[in-house]
Amino acid sequence: MISIKNRHFNVHRILLLAIGLWPCQRSRLVQFQMILCFGILVSSIGFQLLTLITTEFTFDHVINAFSVGLVFTMYVIMYNAFWYNFTEIVERPLEELQHICNELKDKEEIVIMKKYGDNIKRFTFYALVLYICDLIILLPTISLSIMPNTFTVALHISESELRHILYKYIPKYFVDRKNYLCVVLLYFDAIVCIGATTFLATGLMLFAYLKHACGMLRIASYRIKKAINIRNNICPKNEAIMYKGIIYAIHIHRTAIKFSTIIFFSLHLSLFAFVIVAVICLTLNLYAVAKIALHENSIDQFFHIIIIIGIFVYLFFFNYMGQELTDHNNDVFLTVYNVQWYVAPLRIQKLILFLLQRGNKNVNLNFGGVFILSLEFFASLMKVSTSYFTVIYSMQD
């Protein structure tokens, strides 16, 4: 038997526990933790937009404020999506996955599911390493307190220049902002830590769910091959085994599709809003990088480049997950095409014909009734962001 939580979701459990979103007894302490994390993320949006009121209102300053404020908005959207749909996205899918794995009796099917679980663990490890590296780069307070000179020397800037950059994102009339700069930096560090952990934890959970769904589809292909391969000495007993095997394949195929679509149906409004905000944020940060490049302000440009890379990677893997599920579903029906169905009894052939007809309908993850997760959709998002950036930049020139 495969223990899903201990074998495949160990790191996910730690990350979600850190932000209060792991399924456990909902004690008052956990509820307070969730309210605190969500409150910090929501306050970050207001804090950033406050700079529009307390400073001179210019187009470039609006771009700077929204390019960062929309990142905080994406944090809030993802945290709220998992908090609001906690049972449908975190608790119930884990129980259903454990139930599905408990039903697997064939050794080859267990090996297939373990193989996809190992892929999840490998990807999680790489993502965790990237997450730690990002935190080391994005947390100037930790870098300056633990390694006083390393951060500034590595980026070839002085501490005064770093303070000048940070003042752009602190309201002008913030009470004694020079003396309380460390407090403000700690506040921003908390936002980055909670937001980055939210991004990582929620993204890894969705990735793990869809990887398990792909594993189920692979098992469906295996069951079809195994059923049709029983073609020697076709007798009523073997025919019943073939029929039963195909039914089992159809059952786990339907389970995989239902499992993945229900999760994304619970998230479709949140993901719709997330994609819209991500495209706008990506456009504004592209403009900020191009504008700052003219003034040769490397640290500020570096800050926006980190945001661009983060959005790019997150959108890519979102769409990659959808594309992989579609490809695995197509592989199931490609298997049906390739097996020697013509040697099977007539009743089995009719059942296979039904499967072939079902294969004409693509299985896609869509949300908002508009967007379909795929690599083609990812390319369209990048094209749209680049087009908007070009328009804004040409209008300013």
Side-chain angles (χ1 to χ4, degrees):
M1 185 185 356
I2 303 174
S3 178
I4 288 294
K5 289 184 180 180
N6 295 329
R7 183 179 177 87
H8 301 165
F9 288 90
N10 202 19
V11 176
H12 306 72
R13 177 180 62 83
I14 296 173
L15 292 172
L16 289 175
L17 276 173
I19 54 177
L21 293 178
W22 181 253
C24 57
Q25 186 177 2
R26 307 301 292 274
S27 63
R28 291 185 178 180
L29 179 61
V30 174
Q31 292 178 4
F32 173 76
Q33 182 186 11
M34 296 172 69
I35 293 172
L36 178 63
C37 291
F38 187 72
I40 290 175
L41 294 179
V42 172
S43 66
S44 65
I45 301 175
F47 190 86
Q48 188 60 36
L49 295 181
L50 188 61
T51 60
L52 293 175
I53 303 174
T54 59
T55 55
E56 183 181 355
F57 192 86
T58 63
F59 183 79
D60 287 343
H61 188 67
V62 171
I63 294 294
N64 283 327
F66 277 97
S67 63
V68 177
L70 290 178
V71 176
F72 300 154
T73 304
M74 289 190 288
Y75 290 163
V76 172
I77 291 173
M78 293 307 298
Y79 194 96
N80 180 70
F82 270 67
W83 187 6
Y84 183 75
N85 302 287
F86 181 81
T87 302
E88 291 78 8
I89 300 177
V90 182
E91 194 168 13
R92 195 173 296 165
L94 289 173
E95 296 175 357
E96 188 174 346
L97 271 178
Q98 187 62 63
H99 177 70
I100 293 168
C101 290
N102 291 342
E103 290 182 339
L104 300 178
K105 304 300 180 182
D106 190 291
K107 290 184 179 179
E108 186 64 29
E109 294 177 2
I110 295 175
V111 168
I112 291 173
M113 192 59 77
K114 285 183 177 179
K115 179 182 176 181
Y116 278 82
D118 291 339
N119 290 338
I120 293 170
K121 291 168 66 176
R122 193 178 302 111
F123 177 82
T124 301
F125 172 76
Y126 294 142
L128 195 60
V129 171
L130 181 63
Y131 163 77
I132 294 172
C133 293
D134 286 343
L135 287 186
I136 292 174
I137 295 173
L138 292 175
L139 299 183
T141 300
I142 296 177
S143 300
L144 288 171
S145 60
I146 298 178
M147 299 171 291
N149 298 319
T150 303
F151 185 80
T152 53
V153 170
L155 296 177
H156 304 288
I157 59 171
S158 64
E159 186 175 347
S160 61
E161 289 175 326
L162 179 62
R163 287 172 178 266
H164 175 72
I165 297 299
L166 293 172
Y167 284 160
K168 291 177 61 176
Y169 306 102
I170 302 175
K172 184 177 180 181
Y173 301 111
F174 185 81
V175 178
D176 204 3
R177 63 179 184 171
K178 290 185 178 180
N179 294 332
Y180 289 94
L181 181 60
C182 289
V183 177
V184 176
L185 285 175
L186 286 173
Y187 171 69
F188 273 102
D189 286 348
I191 295 170
V192 172
C193 285
I194 296 172
T197 305
T198 300
F199 262 30
L200 182 67
T202 56
L204 288 178
M205 283 298 290
L206 294 177
F207 179 82
Y209 288 153
L210 290 183
K211 266 295 183 181
H212 280 97
C214 291
M216 296 179 218
L217 293 175
R218 186 67 70 194
I219 291 173
S221 299
Y222 165 76
R223 288 180 177 179
I224 291 172
K225 290 180 181 178
K226 183 180 178 181
I228 301 301
N229 282 339
I230 306 175
R231 58 180 183 275
N232 297 326
N233 189 21
I234 299 298
C235 60
K237 181 180 179 181
N238 286 342
E239 183 179 346
I241 293 175
M242 293 174 67
Y243 196 81
K244 193 174 182 180
I246 294 177
I247 290 176
Y248 283 162
I250 295 173
H251 171 71
I252 198 166
H253 177 267
R254 292 182 62 188
T255 301
I257 301 304
K258 182 180 178 181
F259 175 78
S260 55
T261 52
I262 285 178
I263 291 174
F264 270 80
F265 179 78
S266 302
L267 287 172
H268 73 283
L269 291 178
S270 298
L271 290 179
F272 181 84
F274 179 86
V275 169
I276 297 298
V277 173
V279 170
I280 298 173
C281 186
L282 186 60
T283 302
L284 297 181
N285 279 280
L286 286 171
Y287 174 83
V289 168
K291 203 71 175 179
I292 294 171
L294 300 176
H295 301 87
E296 298 182 354
N297 195 333
S298 59
I299 178 59
D300 209 2
Q301 189 178 34
F302 176 78
F303 183 70
H304 290 288
I305 289 174
I306 290 294
I307 295 176
I308 291 171
I309 294 174
I311 296 173
F312 180 88
V313 171
Y314 209 74
L315 289 178
F316 173 78
F317 279 105
F318 254 127
N319 287 279
Y320 173 78
M321 290 187 294
Q323 184 68 55
E324 191 170 16
L325 184 71
T326 301
D327 292 343
H328 275 74
N329 179 71
N330 293 337
D331 287 342
V332 173
F333 295 101
L334 186 62
T335 301
V336 177
Y337 278 109
N338 292 333
V339 295
Q340 297 180 353
W341 53 269
Y342 45 83
V343 301
L346 183 60
R347 187 171 67 146
I348 304 297
Q349 291 185 24
K350 291 181 179 179
L351 186 58
I352 292 176
L353 180 61
F354 170 76
L355 287 175
L356 294 176
Q357 291 176 340
R358 177 64 181 83
N360 293 327
K361 298 180 180 179
N362 291 326
V363 173
N364 298 310
L365 294 177
N366 65 81
F367 48 93
V370 179
F371 302 145
I372 296 176
L373 292 181
S374 64
L375 294 179
E376 182 180 358
F377 177 58
F378 171 75
S380 299
L381 291 179
M382 296 301 103
K383 183 179 179 180
V384 168
S385 298
T386 306
S387 300
Y388 289 164
F389 152 68
T390 305
V391 171
I392 295 174
Y393 191 79
S394 60
M395 288 175 61
Q396 289 302 306
D397 287 347

